[in-house]
Every structure is written in C-alpha cells, then in structure tokens.
Amino acid sequence: MPIPGNYRSIRSLALCIVFVGIILSSFFVVTATPWVDSTLSNTSYVEQQGWKKLDTNVTVSSTTDDFSNGYLIVNITDNLTSYDALRVVSNGSLNVTGDAVYWESDRIGTIDSTYDGSNGILRIDFTSAVSLPNSGFETGDTTGWIINNSYPGVNGQAWVESPFDDPDVVTGPGTNDDPLVDDHSSVSQTTAVQSSLVYAGSYALKLTIGGTVSKTFGTAHGPMVTSSTFSADEGDNLSVRWYALDGGDWYDVYGFVYKDADNDGIWDSSEEYQKLFHDVGSDTGGWITTNATIASNVAGSNIRFLFLNGNYDNTGGQGIGSSLYIDGIVLNINTTSYVNNTIAENIIENIEFSNSCDAPNILKTYNVTLKESNNDVDSSSATILITPVNDVPGAPGNFTNPSTGHSLERGGVVNITWEEATDPDGDYLNYDLWFYNGTWTQIGNMLSSASMLFTMPSDNVTEGKFKVYANDTLLNSSEINVTFGILDAPEFTYSPEDQEQLSKCGEELNFTIESTLMSGFQWFVDGSPISGSGYTVVQNSNDSATSSYCLINSSEYINDADFFMGTYNISVVASNSSLLRNDTYSWDWTITNSSTASSGDDISFIINGSVNVTSSGNESYVKINTTDSNNTDDNGLLCGIVSVEFNTTNNPSGVILKVEVINKTSINESEAGFSQDSVYQYVDISFNNITLVNNQSYSRNIQFKVLNELNGGNLIINTVALKHLKTGTWETYTPTLLYDDGNYSHFMVYNVTGFSPFAVMASYGSTTTSTTSSSDGLPYYLKKQILDKAAQETTEEVSQESAIAEDAADSEVPTVVENEQVNAGSHEVASTTSEIIDNEDSSGSNGTILVAGTFILFLLLLFILKRRSNE
C-alpha cells in the first residue's frame, strides 16, 4: 500500500530530529566540563587573619570522572601581589607531604616547583612524571641549585671509593698511599650553565676542576652542586643523564640522592644517602643514563640530588683537569590511583589563602582551573573581599643624637634626632617626645619630623633619658629610648692669649691648652697633623688629659736656608667623645728671617705689600703698596711707609716685600749718632730677591707719611728726614713734600741706594709752630686759598692763557718735585732740598718778604694778561 505524502514527511522529520538529538547528545558528552551546574562561593577575609579556606563546599561534575594526566590550578587574578599566598592542606584522606599529594596511601599528584602557591599561584599536576626545580637548567643559570666552588676534597667519608677499585684503572708504576683522601695542591673549581654540550633542551650544567695534586697518582675533587628538595616514595623511579671527560687527566665523578633531614642544604655525615653512580676514566664517550629506584632510607620529603666532579692523576705527572656535565633529571612516581570528581572536590575544598600585606587591595578575584584526562579544560571564579584594619605604626629608629653612652651639656641646646618610623598602612606619622631627669615630662607633642631642639636643664643631675613614640593619630607605636650623661661644658685656657703671634726665625714658641674636662688633643699646622722635626708635642687621642702643649723651634721646624718669611696656622682640637664635642682653637704665627731685629719681641708688626707691575718692552715698573690701617707699633703709630717703587729690566715676577715695623728702642744710639727720641718710626724694608732689587734696579723710591700732630705738638717740616742704614753707616735723605691730607704730611725720597733698615726722623713743636710750610713760610693750602681768592677778585673771566699762567704759578711751590728732579741723582735731590730748608731756617722775616713779593708779582702778571685779553 502506498505511503501518504504527509506521513512520509512526518516520518522524515522525526528521523531528522532523532539524528540531530543523537549528534547533540554526543556533543554534550564530549564537551562536558567539570563545572556543569556548579559555582565557587565568594569569601570574606580580615586583613592578615592568617590562612583561610576559600570554599569548603565545592561540586565538581565531569563526565569522564578522570583527571589523570591533568592538573588543578588555583590563582589570584585581579590585584595579585607578592603578599598573596595559596596552599593545599591535609584533611581526612587527603595528605600533603612536601610537594607530594596523597589520597590515603597513594600518591596522586605533585605540587609544581615553580607555582607552589608562594606568589598567589598554585598548580598540582596529576601525572606520574614530576617536574623537579630547574632539573634541565633551562633557566639558563643555576637557579634552585647550591653551588660549592671551594670544595675541600674527600677525606675518607663512608661513600668514598678508591679510583684503583674501578676496572678501567690499571695500576701503573706507582699508587697513592691513601687514595680515599684527596691531595689538593693548587686547585681551581668552576660551575657554569652552558649550551655547547647538552642532552636535551638548550642548556646543561658543567662542573670543571683543574690544577695540580701534591702526590703522584693522587686525587682531587670539586666542585659540588646540590639541588632543591623534592619528595619521592620508595619505588619511584629516577633517571639522570651525565657526561664526563678528561681535561688534563682522568675524571673521578659521583652522583647521589640524600635525605636532608634538617633541610639546611648540607650533606651531614648522619644523613641517609643513595649512590647513583661513581666512575673513573678518560671519556664516557657520550651521555650516560643512570636509572634508579628510590630506596626506603631516603624516601619521603626533603630529598636532594648531589653531584661531585673530581680528577685522578692517572699519568703520575700531578697535573689534573676534568669536567662533568649534568642534564635531563626526571622523577616518575609509582602510583595506581588517579584523581576523580570526589578527590578533585576534596582538594579544592582544602585550598587555603593568606595575605600578609598591611595595606592590601580590598577586592581580589580567584580562579580555579581543572584539566581532565580527555584534555578538556574549564574554569570558575569567585571574589575575596578583604576587610582592612588599622595597624600599629612601627617603632621609631634609634636615637642618633644623643646616642647611648654619650653625654649632653648642662644648660646647652641639643638637636635631638632619631630615625623615622614607618606605618604599615602608609599613614602620616607624628612623634611624641619625653624627657626624664627624675620624672618623665613630655617635651614634644605631635612633632612632624624626627628631630627637636631642646635646652637641657641647668640643675645638678648627672643622667637623663629621652623616649619617643610614633603615632598615626589612632595608635601609638612602642617606644624607643636612650640614656645619656649630663656634664658641664668644658672651659679652656690658651697660651699665648693673643692669637696673632710674631717671631724671628730661630726662636721657640710654646702653644698650650688647658681644659676643665678630660679630653683628647691633637695639634695641626695649616690643617695637617704636625710632623717633621723641631717640635715637641704632648697630646693624647682619648679623653684622659686636661692639658696639652706644642713647643716649636721655628728654624728647626722650617729648616730652609733661603727662608724669607711665612705665616703658619697652629691649631689644636680638643675632643670629648662623651659629649661628641670637638673644640678648635688656633693661632696665626708669622715667622720672619729678620736681619735687623734681635728677637721677635722687637718687631711690632709686619706688612706684606701688594705688588703691581707695569711692563713696557723689556722694562718693568714695580710699585708695592704698603699702607696698613689695622696695626700700630708700641707708640700707637701706623706704618709710615706708604709705598715702595723701582724700575728694572729683569723679570720681577715672584718678588715679595715685607716691611718690619721695629721698636725704635732697639737702635744703638752710640753707633747711630742720633737719639731714639728723634726717630718717628724705625722700619726694615726687605725683599726675598735682594739681588734683583738692590743691584739690578734703578729709580728706587720710597713714599712715607708722618703725622701732622703728635703728643700735642705740630710737625716741623724741615726736621723730616729719612735715614738709611747701609753697610753699618747711616745715610741721610732729605725728602720732598708731596701733599698734606689733613692728618699726615706725605713725602717722597727718590733714588735710594738700596733697601734695608730705615729710620723716619721728625720733630714736633708747640701748637703755634708752622706745619707743612712751603718755601715762603706759608702753609701750602693757605697760600693756595689766597692766590685763588686774589685771582677771582681781579677778573671774572679768565682766558686760556691766564689759566695756564695761573696753573704755572701754583706749580711753583718748591716742595713739589719737577720731572727733572725725579730723574736726578739722590745727592742732587738732597742738595736742592736742603738748600730750600736752609733758606727757610735763615730768617723768618725774609720768608715774609718773599711771600709778599711773590704775591705782588703774581697780581702784576694777572693784570698784564687781563689787559692783553681786553685789547
């Protein structure tokens, strides 16, 4: 019977639906994931509360119910920091020992050596092949290995074997008398990860030894390397690849695993071990694979690999060298169990989280990922809400001033300082400071910095204390305190009292210091500890004396035959370690090699003039300013020498001048031929290059000044003279008056025969005696005023010619020397000037007539010039 068309259509549709259903059903079975109809729970966490389980009620649904050759990863994804940590803990049938995970007695997985939970990532592999830390050295370095490149050599340990027990070693002409003890002489050891000779991957480890042994046919071993720890059960399988070859003589190498019971990375003699290999020879001929089954004496946790390179002097020449290569270390666990849904649920429910941060992010996300045996991978996530807490600030650091054992001055001001505190939450901190000298008193409140100025009390206490707290306005830290002594500040007495000292070369000077406090002393010259010869120093470097001195003989200390003059700074530092105090006192000591003064006491002071050189062609004009307004002699007078000048065709560079102002009481009146009272000032003008200045120069001039009034008397101009001591005889120079500045009359002496001692001569009369007179008897400034007034009254308009004439009239004052006089010889100057002085002395009336005559002639000259200008 034929099938109706609509029925056929319905049947076709039904078949299609069934077919599609079968396909979809198959699809869901294949792609079913562990987290079907399951989610993770969010969790709360109080800051630093310790370890807490993330989720204790987890459902794992997978169609395979099999995670063999899969893994479990739990990790923090959002706001991950190094403070986050994860771990899996034992609970019921679940046991965790080291990196091994057990279900009841069967090992089901291994905690990854890199992702061990320490940085917020935990991975557990459910495979039989265990990943050991850097077992293939693919990090490119020795991460995870302990390196000993200074191995001292074997010394008869129980595991040591004689190289002569190896079948490859044929006993030659001699043997080592103690083959179980190394014979290191000069041995080098190196360890490196290299890429030129590898078993698998890109890198392998190379251990190298070289050098010499102290005995023929001797041995030497090193370096030694030790791995990180791992866990293995009895019956688990190990394999390691190694390669050894000589590099000067035969290798003698070892490989072990041992149980590091105290987990210190050192193989102690009491710790159990299992030898993997020992071999002696010249070349393994390629990579050797050593397989071993973990023995019961080393099974468990904290197992380490240990490899030792070594060398045997097979040739008897005592030169050694060999290498050992390590690569391809594998551990295969021996297990019959596999992880199913129930075990996976149990493991996840025993994952714990902790965060050690004092200021953590308050919201984190964690993720759980599972991989099944069919390679399906799925994940689920949840959040961790962290409730922060205010942490107590860290204690401030130690006091830096004062520090324990030191003292402070009674009544002194101290800058109290301490090391800053830190706050776990990053809060801003203040400080509270307290002081104790019988009772505690708060002296600083809410200080913003770790320091405070404080005035110590003056009461008679010998000990005090400070303590400081840090606070974040809510919580105070623990205190930091310091105990110190309280002392009176030291007082010092110094000798000489005057800090400016002047001595003649050859004299001794004793510098001393006395303190009221036991101190240490050290002496310096120009900032450097005193050394050399010619001195005696009493000093001590600790707080055990109250006085010290430094006696210096200037000529012995200087010890320079060409010494001219020098100024030295003598200083002493008094140190007191209890007060942390250094007191410095110094003297400026000028030493001169004087040819005039009999001792330094005869010299009032010394002037070093500033040198100014003007050169033209091969000629140099040297002028040295010696004006000094800071020092006076025993009579209260400033140095009378104003400047010294000379010309020379030699090079004057390096010329130094000194003017010694000498007490005039040192002049021998009987030898000099004049009295000390007639001397205004006694000076010695000298140069360091006396040959150039006295013999290779010309136009040697000296400008000096003399007070207009002294001891109630006025200066008598015609008594001013300059005496020069030359080769035992006093020469006399009559000076030229230059000008009067109101206080001093300034003079110039031209063409002196040389530079050596000079005596400035001057007499003073009553207050009616004329001062600074010109040759007509009138003072120069008074005569100038009269001439100026007369010229103004004669005419209102002066022509150019009359102005020239007036200037010429003014320049006719005899005391101002013309150019011809400057270039004249010294005797001519003296003669001309003395004639003027003689004329002044001849008659007071003649002087008056001469002034009147000169004035009449001047008026007549002005009248004639005026009349010509009108015409």
Side-chain angles (χ1 to χ4, degrees):
M1 183 174 96
I3 299 175
N6 59 349
Y7 179 79
R8 289 196 300 266
S9 298
I10 292 172
R11 191 178 68 172
S12 299
L13 178 61
L15 290 173
C16 288
I17 290 173
V18 172
F19 181 73
V20 170
I22 293 172
I23 294 175
L24 290 175
S25 177
S26 300
F27 175 79
F28 283 122
V29 169
V30 173
T31 60
T33 60
W35 297 107
V36 173
D37 298 327
S38 177
T39 58
L40 293 172
S41 299
N42 298 329
T43 188
S44 61
Y45 185 85
V46 179
E47 178 187 322
Q48 294 182 338
Q49 76 174 75
W51 291 99
K52 182 181 180 180
K53 292 181 179 179
L54 291 173
D55 193 344
T56 58
N57 187 16
V58 176
T59 299
V60 174
S61 300
S62 69
T63 55
T64 63
D65 196 24
D66 185 357
F67 295 93
S68 57
N69 294 316
Y71 56 75
L72 167 68
I73 297 176
V74 183
N75 62 303
I76 307 300
T77 56
D78 292 340
N79 298 319
L80 172 67
T81 69
S82 60
Y83 295 101
D84 296 316
L86 297 165
R87 71 179 183 181
V88 59
V89 295
S90 301
N91 185 12
S93 297
L94 180 65
N95 295 293
V96 180
T97 303
D99 61 352
V101 180
Y102 296 87
W103 186 256
E104 296 180 347
S105 60
D106 290 332
R107 182 166 178 174
I108 57 173
T110 303
I111 299 173
D112 188 88
S113 60
T114 302
Y115 305 118
D116 59 359
S118 58
N119 289 297
I121 305 176
L122 175 66
R123 174 172 175 150
I124 303 174
D125 290 302
F126 304 133
T127 63
S128 59
V130 176
S131 174
L132 297 177
N134 200 17
S135 59
F137 307 98
E138 293 306 305
T139 61
D141 54 28
T142 56
T143 299
W145 290 81
I146 301 171
I147 308 301
N148 184 355
N149 284 329
S150 301
Y151 185 71
V154 300
N155 191 28
Q157 294 95 328
W159 49 265
V160 178
E161 297 176 356
S162 169
F164 302 106
D165 294 336
D166 191 285
D168 293 332
V169 177
V170 178
T171 303
T175 60
N176 192 320
D177 57 356
D178 193 352
L180 302 183
V181 177
D182 272 347
D183 310 297
H184 283 205
S185 176
S186 176
V187 174
S188 64
Q189 305 173 30
T190 58
T191 303
V193 174
Q194 49 81 52
S195 58
S196 59
L197 185 59
V198 300
Y199 172 78
S202 301
Y203 298 99
L205 185 67
K206 179 182 181 181
L207 313 178
T208 304
I209 190 170
T212 59
V213 290
S214 59
K215 297 179 181 179
T216 57
F217 307 103
T219 58
H221 288 85
M224 174 186 283
V225 296
T226 307
S227 74
S228 300
T229 60
F230 62 95
S231 301
D233 293 331
E234 182 181 359
D236 288 347
N237 297 312
L238 286 175
S239 64
V240 59
R241 277 77 179 179
W242 58 278
Y243 190 156
L245 68 162
D246 65 11
D249 223 318
W250 282 20
Y251 62 80
D252 184 0
V253 297
Y254 291 87
F256 301 91
V257 288
Y258 78 97
K259 190 174 183 62
D260 192 2
D262 54 8
N263 198 23
D264 62 354
I266 300 172
W267 182 12
D268 303 317
S269 59
S270 61
E271 292 175 332
E272 296 289 338
Y273 67 93
Q274 178 179 348
K275 186 177 295 184
L276 300 179
F277 62 83
H278 170 238
D279 192 36
V280 182
S282 62
D283 193 331
T284 59
W287 288 94
I288 304 296
T289 300
T290 295
N291 296 305
T293 300
I294 294 294
S296 60
N297 65 321
V298 296
S301 58
N302 294 338
I303 305 173
R304 296 181 187 267
F305 283 100
L306 185 147
F307 300 104
L308 178 63
N309 186 34
N311 196 259
Y312 161 59
D313 177 27
N314 183 62
T315 62
Q318 296 181 250
I320 61 169
S322 64
S323 298
L324 170 64
Y325 296 82
I326 303 294
D327 199 0
I329 301 172
V330 178
L331 168 65
N332 287 284
I333 60 177
N334 184 19
T335 182
T336 58
S337 297
Y338 66 92
V339 177
N340 56 25
N341 290 345
T342 300
I343 297 176
E345 289 174 357
N346 201 286
I347 293 174
I348 296 172
E349 290 172 350
N350 285 284
I351 300 295
E352 293 185 338
F353 166 80
S354 75
N355 181 280
S356 58
C357 182
D358 291 303
N361 298 103
I362 62 173
L363 187 63
K364 294 179 180 288
T365 300
Y366 75 95
N367 192 69
V368 177
T369 302
L370 276 170
K371 179 183 177 182
E372 297 181 78
S373 58
N374 65 353
N375 296 323
D376 280 346
V377 178
D378 197 18
S379 300
S380 186
S381 61
T383 60
I384 305 172
L385 180 63
I386 300 179
T387 302
V389 296
N390 183 39
D391 296 290
V392 177
N398 292 329
F399 281 89
T400 54
N401 187 40
S403 55
T404 301
H406 292 142
S407 299
L408 297 178
E409 297 175 15
R410 190 174 288 114
V413 177
V414 58
N415 184 23
I416 310 165
T417 57
W418 57 91
E419 297 174 0
E420 292 187 349
T422 57
D423 185 72
D425 306 312
D427 295 335
Y428 181 79
L429 297 180
N430 295 289
Y431 300 96
D432 296 333
L433 183 64
W434 295 69
F435 171 66
Y436 177 87
N437 67 338
T439 59
W440 282 107
T441 304
Q442 187 171 7
I443 59 175
N445 179 38
M446 299 295 286
L447 300 172
S448 59
S449 62
S451 65
M452 176 182 168
L453 288 177
F454 177 65
T455 301
M456 294 293 297
S458 300
D459 47 4
N460 190 24
V461 295
T462 58
E463 187 177 80
K465 297 179 181 180
F466 289 121
K467 66 179 178 181
V468 64
Y469 302 87
N471 65 73
D472 62 1
T473 71
L474 295 177
L475 298 171
N476 285 333
S477 71
S478 57
E479 71 175 60
I480 293 296
N481 56 70
V482 63
T483 303
F484 52 89
I486 304 176
L487 301 171
D488 287 320
E491 296 180 3
F492 299 96
T493 303
Y494 306 97
S495 177
E497 294 183 1
D498 190 352
Q499 289 183 276
E500 301 288 336
Q501 291 297 310
L502 175 62
S503 298
K504 183 178 178 181
C505 186
E507 295 178 328
E508 288 185 338
L509 192 57
N510 191 17
F511 303 92
T512 63
I513 179 174
E514 293 185 1
S515 173
T516 58
L517 192 66
M518 298 289 279
S519 303
F521 304 95
Q522 189 165 13
W523 291 88
F524 299 85
V525 175
D526 293 335
S528 299
I530 188 167
S531 61
S533 59
Y535 69 92
T536 300
V537 172
V538 173
Q539 66 180 28
N540 63 296
S541 58
N542 51 28
D543 301 353
S544 60
T546 57
S547 63
S548 179
Y549 71 85
C550 177
L551 178 64
I552 304 179
N553 183 295
S554 56
S555 63
E556 291 183 24
Y557 181 74
I558 295 168
N559 194 24
D560 187 347
D562 297 327
F563 178 74
F564 181 62
M565 188 198 74
T567 299
Y568 303 88
N569 180 267
I570 310 298
S571 60
V572 60
V573 177
S575 303
N576 185 276
S577 60
S578 177
L579 286 175
L580 292 178
R581 172 176 175 146
N582 292 329
D583 292 275
T584 302
Y585 192 82
S586 65
W587 297 262
D588 285 326
W589 184 19
T590 300
I591 303 173
T592 178
N593 192 9
S594 178
S595 59
T596 302
S598 58
S599 70
D601 292 338
D602 289 337
I603 305 173
S604 296
F605 59 93
I606 293 177
I607 298 172
N608 291 112
S610 57
V611 180
N612 182 37
V613 179
T614 303
S615 298
S616 177
N618 67 341
E619 184 177 12
S620 296
Y621 166 65
V622 180
K623 184 173 182 179
I624 305 174
N625 186 353
T626 58
T627 302
D628 187 324
S629 301
N630 299 319
N631 297 288
T632 57
D633 64 12
D634 290 347
N635 298 312
L637 300 177
L638 296 172
C639 178
I641 305 301
V642 175
S643 65
V644 175
E645 60 186 29
F646 60 87
N647 288 56
T648 181
T649 56
N650 289 62
N651 182 5
S653 63
V655 167
I656 300 174
L657 170 143
K658 68 176 176 180
V659 177
E660 296 176 355
V661 179
I662 304 173
N663 299 333
K664 61 184 180 181
T665 55
S666 64
I667 296 176
N668 188 322
E669 293 180 327
S670 61
E671 294 179 359
F674 53 85
S675 67
Q676 296 174 351
D677 292 339
S678 65
V679 176
Y680 173 81
Q681 197 165 68
Y682 184 31
V683 296
D684 183 13
I685 303 175
S686 58
F687 290 84
N688 63 329
N689 191 340
I690 195 66
T691 300
L692 181 145
V693 176
N694 280 354
N695 301 330
Q696 299 170 351
S697 67
Y698 51 93
S699 296
R700 294 181 286 268
N701 308 324
I702 300 174
Q703 182 181 344
F704 64 95
K705 63 182 180 181
V706 182
L707 276 173
N708 289 336
E709 296 183 4
L710 183 63
N711 298 327
N714 292 332
L715 175 65
I716 302 174
I717 293 296
N718 59 8
T719 64
V720 177
L722 188 65
K723 289 186 176 292
H724 176 212
L725 180 60
K726 181 181 180 182
T727 61
T729 303
W730 287 93
E731 301 175 332
T732 302
Y733 293 94
T734 302
T736 299
L737 175 63
L738 298 179
Y739 62 90
D740 179 349
D741 65 12
N743 291 320
Y744 289 90
S745 293
H746 291 254
F747 300 87
M748 180 76 85
V749 171
Y750 298 95
N751 295 321
V752 297
T753 57
F755 296 102
S756 53
F758 290 88
V760 179
M761 314 297 290
S763 297
Y764 290 81
S766 65
T767 55
T768 59
T769 304
S770 173
T771 64
T772 57
S773 300
S774 63
S775 58
D776 56 12
L778 284 178
Y780 174 68
Y781 71 91
L782 180 60
K783 176 183 173 182
K784 183 79 165 60
Q785 290 177 354
I786 294 173
L787 293 177
D788 290 344
K789 184 175 181 180
Q792 184 176 3
E793 292 174 352
T794 303
T795 179
E796 295 294 326
E797 182 178 356
V798 181
S799 65
Q800 182 177 4
E801 292 85 356
S802 64
I804 295 172
E806 183 179 357
D807 291 341
D810 286 344
S811 66
E812 288 178 355
V813 180
T815 53
V816 178
V817 181
E818 300 294 328
N819 291 336
E820 291 81 6
Q821 291 176 308
V822 172
N823 294 326
S826 60
H827 297 293
E828 294 177 0
V829 175
S831 174
T832 304
T833 311
S834 62
E835 288 176 5
I836 295 173
I837 294 175
D838 290 342
N839 289 336
E840 287 180 348
D841 290 341
S842 63
S843 172
S845 62
N846 289 342
T848 303
I849 295 172
L850 181 59
V851 170
T854 303
F855 185 68
I856 293 171
L857 290 174
F858 176 74
L859 293 177
L860 179 61
L861 178 61
L862 288 177
F863 176 77
I864 296 171
L865 293 175
K866 178 64 177 178
R867 184 173 182 180
R868 289 183 177 178
S869 63
N870 291 334
E871 294 175 351

